[in-house]
Structures are given as C-alpha cells and as structure tokens.
Amino acid sequence: MSINWFKYSSPQTFYPLAGKMIPWFVWLATIFAIAGLYISFAVAPTDFQQGEAYRIIFVHVPAAWMSMVIYIVMAGWAALGLALNARLSAMMAQALAPTGAIFTLLALVTGSLWGKPMWGAWWVWDARLTSELILLFLYLGFIALQASIDDPRRADRAGALLALVGVVNVPIIYFSVKWWNTLHQGSSINMGAAPKMAATMLMGMLLMALAFWMYTVAVALMRVRCIMLERERSSDWVKELSVTAGGKL
Amino acid sequence: MLLTQGLACLRGDRLLFKNVEFELNAGGLLYVLGENGSGKSSLLRMLCGLMLPESGTVFWNKKPIKEESESYLSNLTYIGHLNGLKDDLTALENLTMSARAAGNEVTEDKALAALAAIGIERCANLPARVLSQGQKRRVTLAKLWLSEGKLWILDEPFAALDIASVSILAAKLGEHLSSGGMAILTTHQDVAIHAQSTQTLRLSE
Amino acid sequence: MLLTQGLACLRGDRLLFKNVEFELNAGGLLYVLGENGSGKSSLLRMLCGLMLPESGTVFWNKKPIKEESESYLSNLTYIGHLNGLKDDLTALENLTMSARAAGNEVTEDKALAALAAIGIERCANLPARVLSQGQKRRVTLAKLWLSEGKLWILDEPFAALDIASVSILAAKLGEHLSSGGMAILTTHQDVAIHAQSTQTLRLSE
Amino acid sequence: MQWASWSAFFNMGGYAFYVWFSFGLTALCVAWEVISLRKRSKAALRLSKILAQG
Amino acid sequence: MNGAWMTVLKRDLLLAFRRRSDVATTLFFFLIVSSLFPLGIGPEPTVLSSIAPGVLWVAALLAGMLSLTRLFAADFADGSLEQMLLAPQPLTLLVTAKVLAHWLVCGLPVVLLAPLIGLQYALPNDALFVLIISLLLGTPALSLIGAIGAALTLGVRGSGLLVALLVLPLYIPVLIFGAGAVAASQHGMSAQAHLSLLAACSLLALVLAPLATAAALRISVE
Amino acid sequence: MNGAWMTVLKRDLLLAFRRRSDVATTLFFFLIVSSLFPLGIGPEPTVLSSIAPGVLWVAALLAGMLSLTRLFAADFADGSLEQMLLAPQPLTLLVTAKVLAHWLVCGLPVVLLAPLIGLQYALPNDALFVLIISLLLGTPALSLIGAIGAALTLGVRGSGLLVALLVLPLYIPVLIFGAGAVAASQHGMSAQAHLSLLAACSLLALVLAPLATAAALRISVE
Ligand code: HEM
Ligand SMILES: Nc1ncnc2c1ncn2[C@@H]1O[C@H](COP(=O)(O)OP(=O)(O)OP(=O)(O)O)[C@@H](O)[C@H]1O
Ligand SMILES: Nc1ncnc2c1ncn2[C@@H]1O[C@H](COP(=O)(O)OP(=O)(O)OP(=O)(O)O)[C@@H](O)[C@H]1O
Ligand SMILES: [Mg+2]
Ligand SMILES: [Mg+2]
C-alpha cells in the first residue's frame, strides 16, 4: 500500500530502476542456462529411440513454452495499459513482442530440425505446428501495426486492442486447427508419442525454460529503456541523460 | 454548465498547451484563438471527447463527460475542419442523412428549410462533388438550423464563407445564445456575435 | 531565351487563363501573381512541361521545349508547392540524393555547404520527418545553391520561411540573376529582389 | 559422463547438424537481440544529445 | 435509435449503389483469383474438384479482406466518422449497420457468384449447395472480423497489406470450418458439424467484433 | 546518366531499409496466403505437393501485385515524382531503377522464401530448384508489368483493387509458364521450354514496360 506505483510507472523513474534490474536478470539467465546446458548435454542419457537428436528438446520445448507465455503476458500488459491508460504498460507490451516472435521462430525452426531426422520431413500440417505458425503471424501483425503508426500513443492503444483480440482468438484457432486435422485424416505422426520423460529431462527443460524466462525479462527491460529514450527524446530528463552519458558514446 | 480542469495536450512529443481551464454557462460564448498549429483544433476535439487529454478533465453539468456520455452527446453539435459530406450524395441527402444518423429525426421539408436559411436551396439536388468549397461548408453548417443541442462547438465556421453567409451565420449564433445555448468557436476572422457573456481563450506556444 | 505564345489552361470545365504570353531573357525576373485558385501553379507546371497546355507553346532558345527536352531540363530547376523530401532520409541525404538523381554530381561537402548557406547545417543529420515546416522548406531550397541551371521556376518559395531566411534567399536570387540567370516566381509576400529587368504577370478570373 | 570423446560429443550420434544448428541458432538469436538493443539505445542517446545541444 | 441505425445502413447502400463499379471490382477480383488456379495447376477435373472448397474459400476470403480496406476509409477522410462517434447512439450499433451494408454489397454477391465458379471446378450439386450455405454462414464473420482490422489500420501508412497481416490469421477458423463443410459433403459425409461451428463463429464475431471495432475507431480518430 | 540511375536505385533501397516493416509485410503476406491453402484443402502431402506450383505462383503474384500499389504512391504524394520527371535523364531509365529496387526488395525475398514454403508443401528437391529458377526468371516480369498498373492508378480513388483488375490478366502468361515449369519438373520432364518462355516474357516486359510506365506517369502527374 505504501508503495507509490504511479511514481514507478513514470518513465523517468522507471528508466534507472530498470537499468539496475537488468544485470540481475542477466546473471540469473546465465546461471540457469549453464545448469540447463550441463544437464542437457552431460547428464541426460541417450534416447534409445531417437538417439542424440532428441537433445533438441532442450531448446525446442522451452522456446515453444515461452512463445505462448510471452503472448499471454504481452496481452496482459496491453489490457492493463488500455484500462488504466498507463503508458508504461503499453511500452512493456511493445517491448515483449519481438522477443516473443523470436522464440516462436526458434520453436518452429528447432522443431523442423527435429522433424527432419525423426519424421523424414521438415514440416507436416499437424495441429500443433500449424497453430504455432499462426501464433507467429499474430506476433508479426502486432509488431507491424505498431511500426506503421507514427503517433506512439495511438500505436500503443491500437496494438493493445489487437493483442486482446488475438488472445480471444488463440484458443479458437487452436481448437479449429485441431479439428481440421483430425476430421480430415489421422495424422501419421503424433508428437505425444515421445518417450516418457525421465526426471532429468524434465529438469533440463525446466532449467532452460527458466533461463529463457529470465533472459526475456532482461531483454524486455532493455528494450523498454530504448523505447523510453526514443519517445521522450525531447524531454528534459532524456536530454540530461544523453549529455551526461555522452562521454561513453 | 461546461467546465474544464487542467487540460493538457501532447502531440507527438510536443506539449501544445497545459492547464487550460474555463467555465461556460447558458448563453455564454467562448472564442479560442491562437496561431496556426497552436492547438485550437486539438482543444475542441478534446472538449468533444474525440481525443483523450494528456491530463485534466472536461465536465458537463458537473460530471466528467466520460460518465455522462449519452446526455452530453445528445446536447452537442460539433463541426470540425472536415465537412463530413459524401461526394456522391446530393446536398439534401447529405444533410438529412447526417442529421438522422445523429439521432435527429428530420423531415425533408425541414432540411430544405435549413438549406434555404443559409441560402443554398438552389443546390439542394446537386451532388456534393460539384459544389464549391464555400457551398460545401454551407451545407455542413445548415445542420445548425436543425440542431436541438445546447452546446455548439465550431472549428473555423467562417472559413471559406462569403460575406453574406458570414452575417447569416453570426445572426444564427446570436439567436442560439440568446435562447440559452452555448457556443465555442475558433476563428481567424473578426465577426461580431451578439452574446450575453463573451470569453476569450488564447493558446500560444 | 524563354518565350511563350498563347498559353491557355483548362481545369475541369473551367478555363483558368488564356493567351498568356511573355519573353524572359538572361538576367530577367518574372513575377506571377493572382488570387488563390487563379492558376499560378498550373502555369508554372506548364512552363516546366509537367502539364500540357490546352493551347499555345513554350519555347526555349526559340525551339518548343518538347523538342529541346534534354537541354531544357538540364537548365531548369523547379521547386513546387511540394518539397519532395523523404521523411526517412536525413536532410543531407535528401539534398545529395535529389541533386544526384537530377544528374548533378555533388559531393557531401558541397551539400553541407549548401545547407549551411541557408542556415540549417545543424539539422543535416536529422531525418526530415522531425523537421518543422520551415526547416523542410529550407532543405528543399538548398538545392538552389547546388544548381547549375539557368532557369529557376519557384512556386511560393518564401512561404513558411522566417524573415532571416527570406532575405538570404532573396540575396541568392539576386546573385543568380546578376550572373545571367533567369527566374520565375509566384508569391503572396512582398520581397525585394535585385534584378536587371523585372516583369509582372497577373492572372485573374 | 555420456561421451567417450570430444569428437563423439561433437558428432552427436550422427545428428550433429540438427542438434548444433538448433542450439547455435538459439545462441545467435540471443546474441543478435542483445547487440541490436545496445546499438539502438546508443543511437537513441546520440540523437537526443544532438537535440539537446543543438 | 433504430432510426439512426437504419439511416447509416441506407446511406451506405445508397453510396454503394452510386458507386457500382467499386462493388463490381470486388466480384471481378474473386472471379479472377479463382480462375488463376486452374491456370496454375492444370485442367485435371479430379484434382480441381478436390481443391475447389479450399480455393474458393481462400478467394472469397481475399476478396472480402481487400474490399474491407475501404470500409471506413472514406468516412475517415471526409469527417463522417467523427460525426458517427459523436452521435448519442452507441457506436457499436452503428458499426453493425456499416458492416451489414458491407456484407450485403460485397459478401452476398460473392456468395451468389460462388456456385458458378464451383461448376467450373466440377463440384457436384450437393457440394455446391453446401458451399452456398457455408459461405452464407461464414462470410458475415469475415466482414465482422475484417472490420476490426480496417478500423485499426485507418490513417496508417502503407495500410494495404497491413490489413491482410492483421486479419488473415484471425480468419483461419472460418476458413477451416467453411472449406471443411464443403469437403465433408464432397466425401459423402455430413457437413452438419462444420456448419454449426461456422454459425457459432459468426455469432461470436457478431457479439465481440463490433465492440472491438468501435474501440479501434475511437483510437484511430484521435 | 549512370549516376542518376544509381542514385534513384540507392535511394529506394535506403528508404526500403529504413521502412523495413513495410517490406516485411509483403513477405508475410506471401507466407500467410500460401499457408492458407493447406488449411482450406487439407494436410495430405501428395495433394499439397501436386498443387504447390500453382499455389506458390499465385501467392507470389498476389503479393507482388499488392505491394506494387506503393511503388510510385509516396513519390507522387511528396513531390519527388515531379522532380524525377524533370530530370534530364530519360524517364524510362529512371523507371527501371525504381522497378529494380522494388524487385530487389519485394521480389527477391519472395524468391528466397519460396523454397521454404515449398518444403512445407512437400515439394521434392529438384522441383524446389526449378521453383527458384522460375521465380527468378518470372518475378521481374511481374514487377515490370505491375509498374504500369501502379503508374496508371496513381491518384485514382479506390485504387487497391483497380490495380488488380488492370494487372492480373497481364500476369497470366507468366503464371502459366512459371507454374508449368515446376509442374514439369515434378513429373520428371524437362522444364527447359517453360523456363525459356518465362525468360522471354521478362525480356519483352523489360523492353516495353518501362516505356509504358513512363508514359503513364506523365499522364498521372498532370
Ligand atoms: C516445426 C515443427 C514443430 C513445431 C512448430 C512444434 C511446436 C511445439 C509446441 C508449440 C510445443 C509446446 C506444446 C505444449 O507444451 O503444449 C511443442 C512441444 C513439444 N514438441 Fe514440438 N514442434 C515441432 C516439431 C517437433 C518434433 C519434430 C518433435 C519430435 C519428434 C517435437 C516434440 C515435442 C515434444 C516432445 C514437446 C513437448 C510436449 C509436451 O510438453 O507436452 N516437436 N512443440
Ligand atoms: N498526430 C500528430 N503527431 C504529431 N503532431 C501532431 C499530430 N497532429 C497534430 N500535430 C501537431 O499539433 C499541432 C496542433 O495542431 P492543431 O490542429 O490543434 O492546430 P490549430 O491551432 O487548430 O491550427 P490551425 O489554425 O492551422 O487550424 C500542430 O503543430 C501539428 O503539427
Ligand atoms: N484536376 C483538377 N480538376 C479540376 N479543377 C482543378 C484541378 N486541379 C486544379 N483545379 C482547379 O484549378 C484552379 C487553379 O489551381 P492552381 O493550383 O493553379 O491555383 P493557384 O493560383 O496556384 O492557387 P494558390 O494561390 O492557392 O496556390 C483551382 O481553382 C483548382 O480548383
Ligand atoms: Mg485547426
Ligand atoms: Mg499554387
């Protein structure tokens, strides 16, 4: 109760605060990543069916998880920004989108790289794959919309609305895609058939997911700082900052 | 009846104005003056609720217009820089349909009378696309003769009008004010309007 | 050197002007005056060959400009209502590229000097989108300092300029004329330009 | 330990291309994102410095 | 209330009537796009009829989407949109009137033209019938969802393709159920389930899309 | 002469780089449209691979055409087009520079992205290779022909779909030879003949289209 949230939600005070938080998240991400990589390459045993290729799971699944989590978090920030007319929330939503898109892309690419040796095809029109592809389109739409509106306040609100519409649609899309696949013909491949995961594998995936998560926070904070600098370019605090930081440039 | 508190407007990264405050009561007229680009149109759009203020509130009958939206809007008549005419509809169709779309059930006769009042009944059946700039403006302004709202917000209503039409419009404004209406205008011209109380708000950079 | 015979201009179904004739020789300055909408810009565009005249001909060195197109165009510098700046390029990039695209090989230093001459070297590296109206106009006009053409056709070059820039530009025009150039201007402002021979062409409805 | 030798490790049971491409691409994306953000922040500061001094 | 709604609908229909050529353009686009495929794929009737549901639905979807860019653009440019926002009637309601007018003018003709193209693709009769029904049930959802995109991209630069990027992913469920219905009937199965889902999509869109569109319009006008 | 040409090319490329998101939109449109078809038609790999040439070519064609509306629009609005017309260099030449820039920015990426989508459609490797070659040979013709349409519709209202009407019929030969080449290689035949015809189309367009575009630009600017 005693914290004045409005104080922290002004860019001028949040900028240095974010600057202090970033190193912490970077460290956490590094530690989790080292632990996760250690488990994925040194501890986890070879899979008797898939051989070593299954180790892709340690980036694929966390990336797929993050791609979905980030979209939800992004829409949450967007909704908050729309409801409270809070600029910082909208900026956070904007800062998360590119990272979300990157993880979606990584899930797709690593999935394909896994699919080729396992299924013999780079791509099949499976429900999960297809809906991940559509998620990528949703991210790209959000980014493109914001990039093509010059007035930042309008860009924020338009983007937020789009993110919300997307969130309503994601489950519909997911189920329709599932239906589409099962009604036409049984897909010959079923990803659920992956072997029961040993605890070590789960551990590795969780650690990698945590690393990605911390990385996401750090990068989002970095990006939100850039957005603040660009938007408040002509405000006094940015000018002051740019002059004092000038020596380092 | 219309009251503002601490209005501020940010466009791009420029603060156009801040702390704009005034009170407008029945019969009152408010001029908003300033150079090109000083934020007059932005202020009027804020008063209508088309733009959200960066900070501050607009009150109608003591309540924020956000909460009183329906009663406020049914009392408001706004005419902006844009005429809102459809090139492919005739002057009469334009006037009738825009009044009806705003929830004001007017007959064709009434609309024709309004066009006559501002002196363009001759053009009633011409498509808007062939009208001259001033004639277009007058079709738009004819809406004022049909309006039942108390508050008129007009952005440069005299622009593009010839002298005769300016005085017709000024007389209409005087009549509206003397019957207890309110009006907010921007203008770059000097026009005499008869009002009980006249205020001036000057925006500057 | 520039001569017109019986120029007429039809816009929509309105005859804006007809029988416009003049002769402009080295060192000569021609003012084109008239109300808004009287056809000044249309005339200048005709002189450039951007618009075909309804009737009449424009001659450059005694030959119709259609036949002499390449030599005419390489002697011509036209600045219209529109600035022709790209929002996403910097002022310097805009200036250099537009000069080069017109076949005038300029170095960056020369372009910078031109910007400095008209007093906006400070903005050289800002994207055009963040410039003010007057600054944009000045970036466009800086082209005159790079121009090697004999004939300058300028549509309201003084609009949106502040007083200092107006006198800089007027001095540049005087210099151009005294070194044997020619200029055709439209303007609504009263600016003193030093010229050997000054003509005035008034368009009216 | 799983691996008989470093070369076995790098060979990934014959799936080297797929595994290392996946992990490598991920690392590349992370590095690119961080570097481009640093660049962007510097550019923003430089521009507002021009604005502040000009 | 009702009067304002009817007026908006009537005005848009009248305008469309005065601008018949614009309407015709949408139809031609649909026609041309769906005729391009036989040219690209080859004249084999069995192949053509097996891909017909998908191709026709995608063509309908593209035609609808591209005609949508115009839905609010003219109103935005000439100031009518501002006046609509200032009407005391709820904006959501007026939006439905505009979308209905758009559907009557761009959606319905496509529905009526589709069987003709279906014939070119050698679709059997009952599949043609299901095609019409599915388009009737599905195209309203396309118009409604598309309206959100059109409202969001008002006054945005380079908007032509941006609408596509925003709207096409949201169209996917409609496409799946719509094409699925026709394909099911082609394979002798019942199209019932798909058609019900399609209707559900349209209903949901009818409830939610006008709200979102109204919000988007308010943002764009600012 | 060469300098002006290079400058126009460089400027357009630089602008495209500064407006990356606009460029990306074209690519995404291509991606989305070609992903819609499997959703409409079904996931069966054999069916998909048999229609892949046609679908990919039609999608490339639509993406190219829709991105074309922008080719001269910005120059027209900000006055650079006037200045281009007044340059002493022949307008036809400068037009080729602009079209080349457009192709590098919108056509080439589509060519490079196509094999990726071809993989999704289960195209075999040599068909993928022919696909790339055919797109490389054919897309320049698309850009060149589309430029005529873009120039003709400058400043005309509702131009989005009008361009389509003007341009799509002219695209048909390119589509037939392009898709034909890929289909031929899929069926184990030589794609040589189709590819030569495609190259001929592009050459012909290279000779004629800039002339027509320059003429159209002069008319539009008046
Ligand atoms: C382009 C191809 C692929 C894409 C887009 C993709 C997408 C996804 C997504 C979105 C998830 C998260 C789903 C969830 O947690 O509910 C996931 C999880 C997973 N994927 Fe993939 N995938 C692809 C290919 C593959 C392949 C080829 C395999 C293995 C043969 C695979 C195995 C898995 C496994 C085992 C999981 C974890 C399942 C779970 O946690 O329940 N994926 N993938
Ligand atoms: N979307 C926007 N982004 C950035 N700046 C804007 C935007 N819209 C308007 N402006 C700027 O806001 C300022 C105020 O505009 P406004 O239309 O309110 O001026 P005005 O006082 O009505 O001028 P006029 O007398 O010309 O009508 C202008 O300088 C304009 O450039
Ligand atoms: N395409 C067109 N069709 C019909 N009429 C046009 C067209 N273009 C311009 N006009 C009309 O031609 C007239 C002359 O326009 P022009 O731009 O030459 O005027 P001007 O003298 O330069 O005015 P200003 O002082 O405002 O610049 C105007 O009345 C305009 O309405
Ligand atoms: Mg104004
Ligand atoms: Mg003029």
Side-chain angles (χ1 to χ4, degrees), chain F residues 12-219:
Chain F
D12 273 29
L13 291 179
L14 187 60
L15 279 171
F17 178 74
R18 299 260 160 96
R19 278 237 176 292
R20 271 156 294 188
S21 69
D22 272 14
V23 176
T25 317
T26 311
L27 269 185
F28 296 141
F29 180 83
F30 177 63
L31 240 172
I32 295 183
V33 169
S34 37
S35 315
L36 286 179
F37 286 96
L39 292 171
I41 288 164
E44 187 69 58
T46 52
V47 175
L48 286 181
S49 90
S50 79
I51 62 164
V55 167
L56 286 176
W57 260 95
V58 171
L61 204 135
L62 290 177
M65 185 203 73
L66 291 175
S67 70
L68 271 172
T69 31
R70 281 203 316 274
L71 185 55
F72 299 109
D75 285 1
F76 179 68
D78 70 17
S80 323
L81 191 58
E82 282 176 5
Q83 295 294 340
M84 223 167 82
L85 261 68
L86 292 179
Q89 282 72 32
L91 185 57
T92 17
L93 215 68
L94 300 184
V95 164
T96 57
K98 278 194 77 75
V99 173
L100 177 58
H102 175 266
W103 182 79
L104 285 176
V105 160
C106 289
L108 195 57
V110 163
V111 175
L112 298 179
L113 197 67
L116 217 72
I117 301 175
L119 278 181
Q120 291 193 327
Y121 277 83
L123 272 188
N125 279 350
D126 36 352
L128 276 181
F129 180 70
V130 174
L131 176 68
I132 300 182
I133 301 289
S134 71
L135 282 170
L136 263 182
L137 289 176
T139 46
L142 298 185
S143 291
L144 285 163
I145 297 171
I148 309 176
L152 278 174
T153 52
L154 267 187
V156 170
R157 60 180 146 58
S159 65
L161 283 182
L162 190 57
V163 172
L165 271 190
L166 293 178
V167 160
L168 282 183
L170 297 177
Y171 278 178
I172 286 177
V174 181
L175 171 65
I176 291 179
F177 299 137
V182 186
S185 100
Q186 258 180 321
H187 297 131
M189 290 181 283
S190 156
Q192 185 76 52
H194 284 107
L195 290 178
S196 322
L197 284 168
L198 212 50
C201 281
S202 277
L203 277 181
L204 193 69
L206 185 60
V207 174
L208 295 182
L211 289 173
T213 309
L217 283 178
R218 278 188 214 285
I219 294 168

Side-chain angles (χ1 to χ4, degrees), chain E:
Chain E
M1 183 95 126
N2 219 354
W5 192 86
M6 276 305 293
T7 307
V8 171
L9 177 64
K10 258 200 241 161
R11 185 183 55 183
D12 274 26
L13 290 179
L14 188 60
L15 280 171
F17 178 73
R18 300 252 163 101
R19 277 230 176 293
R20 272 154 295 189
S21 67
D22 272 13
V23 176
T25 320
T26 312
L27 274 182
F28 278 123
F29 182 82
F30 176 63
L31 248 171
I32 294 183
V33 169
S34 36
S35 321
L36 285 179
F37 284 96
L39 293 175
I41 287 164
E44 189 69 56
T46 52
V47 175
L48 285 184
S49 93
S50 80
I51 63 165
V55 168
L56 284 177
W57 259 96
V58 171
L61 207 132
L62 290 177
M65 185 205 73
L66 291 175
S67 70
L68 270 171
T69 29
R70 282 202 316 271
L71 184 54
F72 300 109
D75 285 2
F76 179 71
D78 69 19
S80 324
L81 191 61
E82 282 177 4
Q83 294 295 340
M84 223 167 80
L85 260 70
L86 292 179
Q89 283 72 34
L91 185 58
T92 16
L93 216 69
L94 300 184
V95 164
T96 56
K98 277 194 78 76
V99 174
L100 177 58
H102 175 265
W103 182 78
L104 286 175
V105 162
C106 289
L108 197 55
V110 164
V111 175
L112 299 179
L113 197 66
L116 219 72
I117 302 175
L119 279 180
Q120 293 187 334
Y121 277 82
L123 271 189
N125 278 349
D126 38 350
L128 276 181
F129 181 70
V130 173
L131 176 68
I132 299 182
I133 301 289
S134 72
L135 282 170
L136 263 182
L137 287 176
T139 44
L142 298 185
S143 291
L144 285 162
I145 297 172
I148 307 177
L152 278 173
T153 50
L154 271 184
V156 161
R157 60 183 146 60
S159 65
L161 283 183
L162 187 57
V163 173
L165 188 51
L166 301 185
V167 160
L168 286 181
L170 303 180
Y171 276 177
I172 286 174
V174 179
L175 170 65
I176 288 176
F177 298 137
V182 186
S185 100
Q186 259 181 322
H187 297 131
M189 291 183 282
S190 157
Q192 183 78 50
H194 282 108
L195 291 177
S196 324
L197 283 167
L198 210 52
C201 281
S202 277
L203 276 181
L204 192 70
L206 184 60
V207 174
L208 295 182
L211 287 173
T213 309
L217 285 177
R218 279 188 212 285
I219 293 168
S220 295
V221 157
E222 214 174 72

Side-chain angles (χ1 to χ4, degrees), chain A residues 41 43 99 215 223 230 233, chain D residues 2-3 18 33 40 51:
Chain A
F41 284 113
V43 178
T99 310
Y215 165 77
R223 192 171 285 116
E230 285 162 3
R233 177 163 293 155
Chain D
Q2 315 280 323
W3 307 100
Y18 303 102
E33 202 179 6
R40 184 172 159 187
L51 283 175

Side-chain angles (χ1 to χ4, degrees), chain B residues 11 45 48 50-52 70 73-74 76 78 82-86 88-89 93 97 100-103 105 143, chain E residues 3-4 7-8 11 14-15 18-19 74-80 82-83 85-89 218 221-222:
Chain B
R11 250 2 205 343
R45 294 171 69 81
C48 295
L50 285 175
M51 236 179 94
L52 291 183
E70 193 168 335
L73 290 180
S74 57
L76 172 70
Y78 166 74
L82 295 171
N83 287 320
L85 298 182
K86 295 283 165 196
D88 292 313
L89 298 182
E93 284 168 347
M97 291 204 165
R100 287 193 193 149
E105 281 302 331
K143 209 162 46 167
Chain E
T7 307
V8 171
R11 185 183 55 183
L14 188 60
L15 280 171
R18 300 252 163 101
R19 277 230 176 293
D75 285 2
F76 179 71
D78 69 19
S80 324
E82 282 177 4
Q83 294 295 340
L85 260 70
L86 292 179
Q89 283 72 34
R218 279 188 212 285
V221 157
E222 214 174 72

Side-chain angles (χ1 to χ4, degrees), chain D residues 35-47:
Chain D
I35 291 169
S36 74
L37 278 175
R38 296 195 64 131
K39 264 198 202 155
R40 184 172 159 187
S41 145
K42 276 187 186 163
L45 279 172
R46 198 174 307 131
L47 187 52

